[in-house]
Amino acid sequence: MYAIWLPQRSSPSWQRADSGATIGGTFQVRVVVRPDNGYLYGGPSNVSVVATSITEIADHHAGPTHMGNLAVVSPNAAYGDPTTGSVAVLQSEYLFLPHNATYRLRVRVRYLVIPPFPPRFVEEEGEMLLTIRNLQIVDSRPEPCFVWTPEQMGGVPFSAQLLCAQQATCTVQLEIFSSEDNQNPVLVRQFENVSRPGSWSWTWDGRLADGSTAPAGVYSYRLSARSEPMPWMDFDCTISSFLHLERAYDSNNQPILEAEYWDYDDGGTVEDETDDHYLYFVRWYVLRGTRNASRGQLWLFGPGWQRVGVWDLSQLPCVEHGNQPDGLVAAPSGMRHGVIVRVPVS
């Protein structure tokens, strides 16, 4: 049992990958059936597939899937198949495993062998491990946001590594969002024919699509890379395509842009202000997705755009849900959150 794939996308030459190999892109599984003693009764057409499974070996995506139909094909000496004697080769449909992980693939077959006569049934199972390394974009910045101050900065550099087991080219796209709207980008740039594996870099001069200079502020961005389908598109993005962070809207369908002053906490010491806090109610986000977020932070910036405070959303009480620290909970229809932030008076 082995797989065939294209190490180079532009090459028509499919290569063999045995158990333990690392591959990427589209591939097919081939199973060679050859009795140790005797012959296949009825020939290759009499070999049947009893069961197949593909299991990702990971806690977060564990669970079996199937590889579809396997059809009889001719043995291929270029792949190391035996071309003489009683042999059958089965080949799967095109497969594309989306997660970069190690998978266990199993195929169980049933066939008749002679002698003796009458023929006897034999069942055998083949197993192999494959590590998938599809297109992956690794951003050089630890966080997908930045501060832009045009009077102090000449530009904003971006760079990323493009990792993949298969050699090819891809399209890199950069989208920049203002802090007021994280759904509609203020700038979109595409870069064609970027080599993968390889690296990409570009410096934004601060100009928007209309040629004007972007105002000072905090901006978020999304990097994505895609390769044309064969037959599936290979794609990766620095921001989840399945979990969406959206600004909340009030009863008049207007975006909630401001934090609301909530209370004052003197820490139980009226005379001592060093332990005093302002409490703010932040009603600013909705999480939409089929799974919860794994991590989240709220940042506070000063008038000069310097970061002066960071809070863990998983620890903040949510006024929307009985002051429970559930700020990372998402729902397919959207889960609205309003958290209380303690800002030191100092």
Side-chain angles (χ1 to χ4, degrees):
M1 182 173 170
Y2 61 92
I4 56 174
W5 71 300
L6 292 173
Q8 291 187 335
R9 183 72 163 275
S10 59
S11 172
S13 178
W14 290 74
Q15 302 294 319
R16 173 172 174 150
D18 292 302
S19 181
T22 297
I23 67 174
T26 304
F27 68 97
Q28 293 176 281
V29 173
R30 289 170 65 94
V31 178
V32 179
V33 180
R34 188 181 191 186
D36 292 332
N37 297 295
Y39 301 90
L40 293 172
Y41 180 76
S45 61
N46 214 26
V47 178
S48 61
V49 177
V50 177
T52 67
S53 67
I54 303 175
T55 305
E56 181 177 342
I57 305 175
D59 292 337
H60 54 293
H61 290 128
T65 58
H66 299 282
M67 63 181 69
N69 296 323
L70 281 86
V72 175
V73 296
S74 300
N76 191 328
Y79 300 147
D81 298 340
T83 55
T84 60
S86 184
V87 60
V89 179
L90 306 177
Q91 183 169 293
S92 74
E93 301 171 353
Y94 286 110
L95 300 174
F96 180 81
L97 302 179
H99 303 136
N100 286 332
T102 298
Y103 294 81
R104 178 179 288 110
L105 294 84
R106 289 188 173 128
V107 177
R108 188 164 189 84
V109 297
R110 190 179 193 210
Y111 54 92
L112 285 168
V113 174
I114 56 170
F117 195 86
R120 60 186 175 91
F121 280 103
V122 176
E123 281 196 11
E124 291 187 281
E125 184 172 277
E127 176 182 303
M128 68 181 303
L129 296 176
L130 286 178
T131 298
I132 302 299
R133 286 293 177 264
N134 294 317
L135 175 60
Q136 182 181 10
I137 185 167
V138 182
D139 190 2
S140 60
R141 292 176 177 269
E143 296 145 345
C145 53
F146 61 92
V147 173
W148 164 245
T149 52
E151 66 279 359
Q152 301 173 7
M153 301 170 60
V156 180
F158 297 94
S159 62
Q161 294 294 316
L162 297 163
L163 308 180
C164 192
Q166 185 184 59
Q167 296 181 9
T169 60
C170 63
T171 299
V172 174
Q173 179 172 277
L174 170 66
E175 300 167 88
I176 298 177
F177 303 85
S178 69
S179 59
E180 288 79 16
D181 185 354
N182 63 6
Q183 302 298 312
N184 302 292
V186 297
L187 182 72
V188 179
R189 283 293 302 268
Q190 284 196 356
F191 305 85
E192 309 285 346
N193 298 317
V194 180
S195 296
R196 63 172 175 97
S199 59
W200 165 87
S201 62
W202 182 70
T203 298
W204 179 46
D205 61 5
R207 295 189 180 277
L208 302 176
D210 60 4
S212 63
T213 300
V218 181
Y219 292 81
S220 61
Y221 68 93
R222 175 168 53 214
L223 278 175
S224 58
R226 70 179 185 273
S227 186
E228 294 306 315
M230 197 221 43
W232 291 280
M233 178 178 289
D234 201 351
F235 174 83
D236 191 34
C237 187
T238 56
I239 294 178
S240 173
S241 299
F242 307 98
L243 180 69
H244 299 277
L245 177 67
E246 302 170 1
R247 187 177 298 281
Y249 284 75
D250 61 19
S251 57
N252 296 320
N253 201 33
Q254 296 298 312
I256 302 174
L257 304 177
E258 303 294 337
E260 177 184 341
Y261 177 73
W262 189 256
D263 202 353
Y264 188 94
D265 183 3
D266 64 8
T269 57
V270 178
E271 299 81 8
D272 184 8
E273 293 187 355
T274 60
D275 61 351
D276 291 3
H277 288 80
Y278 295 115
L279 305 185
Y280 287 94
F281 179 28
V282 180
R283 303 176 296 167
W284 74 304
Y285 72 100
V286 172
L287 280 180
R288 191 183 307 275
T290 57
R291 295 196 300 175
N292 296 337
S294 57
R295 185 173 68 95
Q297 292 182 336
L298 188 149
W299 295 354
L300 174 66
F301 291 85
W305 302 108
Q306 72 278 17
R307 198 188 324 180
V308 297
V310 178
W311 292 265
D312 184 350
L313 282 177
S314 67
Q315 303 298 317
L316 298 180
C318 180
V319 175
E320 298 279 340
H321 306 113
N323 290 323
Q324 295 299 310
D326 67 347
L328 301 182
V329 175
S333 60
M335 181 69 71
R336 173 168 162 159
H337 294 283
V339 295
I340 298 295
V341 181
R342 297 171 57 87
V343 181
V345 173
S346 61

